[in-house]
Amino acid sequence: MSASPSSARVIGSVVLEVTDVHTYYGNIHALQGVSISVREREIVTLLGSNGAGKSTTLKTISGLLRPRQGTVKLRGETINNVPAHQIVRRGICQSPEGRHVFPRLSVDENLAMGAFIHNDTKQVAIDRERVLDLFPRLRERLRQKAGTLSGGEQQMLAIGRAMMGRPAVLLLDEPSMGLSPLLTDVIFDAIKEINHSGVTVVVVEQNAQLALSIADRGYVMQTGRIVLTDTADALAKNEMVRKAYLGEE
């Protein structure tokens, strides 16, 4: 895999902005003043240990959780109180941790579910072909029940289903979880290809080295707070990051 994103991409203006967000699970203060910004056509990664608040941040952005304080803006418009399905319509789609495909539906039916917000049949067919070109293995399994796919195939399907929503911003939560190194490379090559097609990507990933290898910038989270942000290259060289997340002594 390449060491860094291609310099040929042109990074645009801020498309997604999270400002001083506080999110709770009941009385548990999960996010404590989180602020991040993401520019058009960037890949931004959120790093941190389990329970740091990474997935909660994605769920807050996608409307699955509501912040008690702070704002989430898409292209300058506040979306805090917009229903999750409307946030999808506005251009934010998520591939969740654990994939969560519809196990009793076929691969093709899962992809159709991802396009539920669109009724332009011809464009949906084009979107479907793009996903199948991105993940040729899914083309071989279109009629197969999603629950019978391997973990890697389910991850391909989860990302493909999200892409059927035509995201401007794609949120990926632990895309390499449980995958072999070979399949992990396939998934991350696909993420780079998606990004080079013009889609902004925010990725949560336990494999910090892998995430930083494709990202433009990163944020490090600890116990619900952002404690460090920098370019991916700088984070990969940062002593704290190297010791805490890259497994170096």
Side-chain angles (χ1 to χ4, degrees):
M1 300 184 69
S2 62
S4 63
S6 168
S7 58
R9 286 177 305 125
V10 178
I11 303 301
S13 58
V14 173
V15 63
L16 176 66
E17 191 166 21
V18 177
T19 305
D20 192 28
V21 159
H22 295 254
T23 300
Y24 289 73
Y25 292 101
N27 292 323
I28 298 173
H29 196 175
L31 298 184
Q32 303 175 32
V34 167
S35 296
I36 66 172
S37 65
V38 183
R39 304 178 80 85
E40 290 179 343
R41 294 180 292 279
E42 272 192 314
I43 299 178
V44 171
T45 185
L46 304 183
L47 305 178
S49 58
N50 288 333
K54 307 183 302 297
S55 294
T56 302
T57 300
L58 295 193
K59 289 177 181 178
T60 302
I61 292 169
S62 62
L64 298 174
L65 293 171
R66 299 291 180 200
R68 291 191 192 176
Q69 181 181 324
T71 58
V72 179
K73 292 184 178 181
L74 178 65
R75 300 189 184 93
E77 183 178 358
T78 301
I79 59 173
N80 292 34
N81 297 311
V82 176
H85 68 282
Q86 290 293 342
I87 290 177
V88 173
R89 291 184 184 275
R90 297 188 190 199
I92 297 178
C93 298
Q94 181 169 352
S95 175
E97 180 182 358
R99 298 136 199 169
H100 293 289
V101 297
F102 299 104
R104 296 185 181 181
L105 299 184
S106 69
V107 167
D108 212 9
E109 289 167 335
N110 268 268
L111 294 178
M113 291 293 288
F116 79 98
I117 62 172
H118 302 300
N119 54 18
D120 46 347
T121 306
K122 289 184 179 179
Q123 186 58 50
V124 168
I126 292 172
D127 296 338
R128 176 179 176 274
E129 284 302 305
R130 286 175 178 164
V131 168
L132 298 178
D133 287 344
L134 187 65
F135 297 117
R137 196 173 300 193
L138 296 182
R139 191 185 296 276
E140 302 168 3
R141 291 158 171 75
L142 281 173
R143 305 300 170 211
Q144 188 171 330
K145 300 273 191 228
T148 67
L149 298 176
S150 70
E153 291 163 351
Q154 288 189 16
Q155 187 63 68
M156 295 174 194
L157 181 55
I159 295 174
R161 182 181 60 191
M163 287 301 297
M164 290 297 293
R166 296 177 208 158
V169 180
L170 177 64
L171 309 180
L172 300 173
D173 198 349
E174 300 290 1
S176 79
M177 180 181 288
L179 303 188
S180 68
L182 180 61
L183 280 175
T184 295
D185 282 349
V186 169
I187 293 296
F188 272 74
D189 284 342
I191 293 170
K192 289 189 291 184
E193 187 171 341
I194 289 168
N195 176 249
H196 281 273
S197 75
V199 178
T200 303
V201 178
V202 180
V203 58
V204 163
E205 174 57 52
Q206 283 289 328
N207 188 330
Q209 185 171 15
L210 184 58
L212 291 172
S213 76
I214 68 166
D216 297 285
R217 293 186 301 111
Y219 292 85
V220 178
M221 300 189 70
Q222 290 180 359
T223 58
R225 300 177 183 271
I226 302 292
V227 296
L228 183 64
T229 180
D230 212 327
T231 66
D233 286 344
L235 288 175
K237 297 171 184 175
N238 181 279
E239 184 176 0
M240 183 272 282
V241 173
R242 294 173 74 89
K243 288 183 177 179
Y245 305 110
L246 301 182
E248 298 188 7
E249 296 297 332

